[in-house]
Amino acid sequence: MRSAEASRPAALPATYGNPVAGPSSPQAQQNEDDTENSSSSPGVKNERLRLKYRGRRCPRWRLRGGDTSSASSTKPRGGRRSSSRELMYDDDGGAPFEKVADTKDGIAVWSRAAPGSNAKEVLAECVFKKTPVASFWRAVCDVERYQEFVPFVKRSFVCKDTRGAPGFGSSGAVWVYNVVKAPVVGPRDFVIKIEGGPRADGSMASTWHVPDDGVGPAATAGHVRLLTNGGGWELKDVGGGDTAVRYRVLTDPGSALPGFLVDLANQSSVPDVMRAFNAR
């Protein structure tokens, strides 16, 4: 951009048109501003107005530190995430999980694509304050009463139990039939086989999956039988009576729902499930 002095013809004196006002007078300053504005291209003027509007009228777009160079690079076009995604690699050696949410009560939610399924596997982590491991583990083992406190579970009963005592030990399993009614879709039913117990490091863990051994009732009329339903719990004492909890689940409702709707439903329900077990 040329300065006001450089824009004047060389043959004219500096006080041309106003012999009284000097270069520092208000009139001279106005002349300089007018000359500067007239020498600016429309693109430059539009950019100045755009930044002024964004900085003063749109607080969520407010530019920080006067740095305008980062305004267009904070979020790529199309609303996609930037390349700085937060990833977590699991011990199973599979694809990494990507963080999708952090709840206000401290539950971090992650997800990743699951081979052969329209739904994504969801993993959530949280440290529950003043909840001993033993208390949370009792809720995990209370499979006969899931319908009393687990969200969306309308009916549950044990089909087969090879555990030597209530709860999960180093051996034994339990087959549980459940009927669930989640939002948007109709009722679903399934049989899962649950196994678990203490680990060598002192933590507690359980896993479940849909077995193919024929244990449990056939699909109930008017219900969709779930064929993909697996996951697990991991509990660890972190001191002070607090428990670190990791919960993972892969559930495919087996309907024509778009995959993104299934993912949203799973991601929002997982924190509710964790809270329900903690409250139990």
Side-chain angles (χ1 to χ4, degrees):
M1 182 182 297
R2 295 179 301 167
S3 66
E5 290 294 335
S7 65
R8 298 192 182 97
L12 297 179
T15 58
Y16 176 78
N18 188 4
V20 177
S24 61
S25 67
Q27 182 63 40
Q29 185 64 42
Q30 180 65 40
N31 290 342
E32 285 191 12
D33 292 342
D34 293 343
T35 306
E36 181 178 351
N37 289 338
S38 64
S39 64
S40 302
S41 65
V44 173
K45 294 170 67 177
N46 290 340
E47 178 67 11
R48 185 186 303 114
L49 292 175
R50 182 181 69 83
L51 294 177
K52 181 179 179 181
Y53 175 80
R54 288 177 60 180
R56 296 183 179 180
R57 300 300 299 274
C58 299
R60 64 174 179 165
W61 291 346
R62 192 179 303 279
L63 303 180
R64 298 179 179 178
D67 182 10
T68 61
S69 61
S70 62
S72 61
S73 61
T74 54
K75 189 175 184 180
R77 292 183 179 181
R80 297 182 178 179
R81 293 174 177 266
S82 65
S83 58
S84 58
R85 300 180 301 166
E86 189 170 352
L87 303 178
M88 177 179 64
Y89 289 83
D90 195 39
D91 295 337
D92 61 5
F97 286 89
E98 180 180 355
K99 180 174 282 190
V100 294
D102 278 307
T103 67
K104 293 181 179 180
D105 54 350
I107 301 176
V109 184
W110 310 71
S111 72
R112 68 176 176 182
S117 175
N118 291 328
K120 290 185 178 180
E121 183 180 6
V122 181
L123 184 150
E125 296 179 308
C126 183
V127 174
F128 287 104
K129 302 293 185 180
K130 306 306 177 184
T131 300
V133 170
S135 298
F136 204 105
W137 185 246
R138 278 197 299 269
V140 172
C141 298
D142 198 11
V143 294
E144 296 89 346
R145 298 181 178 85
Y146 276 4
Q147 64 186 18
E148 298 178 7
F149 66 95
V150 179
F152 313 125
V153 175
K154 303 304 180 184
R155 186 184 180 195
S156 63
F157 62 82
V158 173
C159 306
K160 181 180 178 180
D161 194 345
T162 61
R163 300 173 296 176
F168 298 106
S170 58
S171 63
V174 59
W175 287 251
V176 183
Y177 173 79
N178 289 276
V179 173
V180 297
K181 178 60 179 74
V184 182
V185 298
R188 266 63 176 158
D189 71 343
F190 54 88
V191 177
I192 53 175
K193 179 182 179 181
I194 310 174
E195 302 172 276
R199 290 179 167 178
D201 61 359
S203 63
M204 309 294 289
S206 71
T207 60
W208 72 84
H209 67 279
V210 176
D212 58 359
D213 51 17
V215 175
T220 305
H223 296 61
V224 175
R225 174 56 59 97
L226 294 187
L227 301 178
T228 301
N229 187 355
W233 291 96
E234 297 177 34
L235 313 178
K236 186 176 182 179
D237 186 354
V238 292
D242 303 340
T243 299
V245 179
R246 172 179 282 193
Y247 173 68
R248 61 197 307 159
V249 62
L250 172 59
T251 300
D252 191 335
S255 66
L257 285 175
F260 77 92
L261 286 180
V262 175
D263 295 337
L264 288 176
N266 287 339
Q267 292 168 15
S268 61
S269 64
V270 162
D272 290 337
V273 171
M274 296 182 73
R275 296 182 188 109
F277 275 83
N278 182 56
R280 183 69 175 182

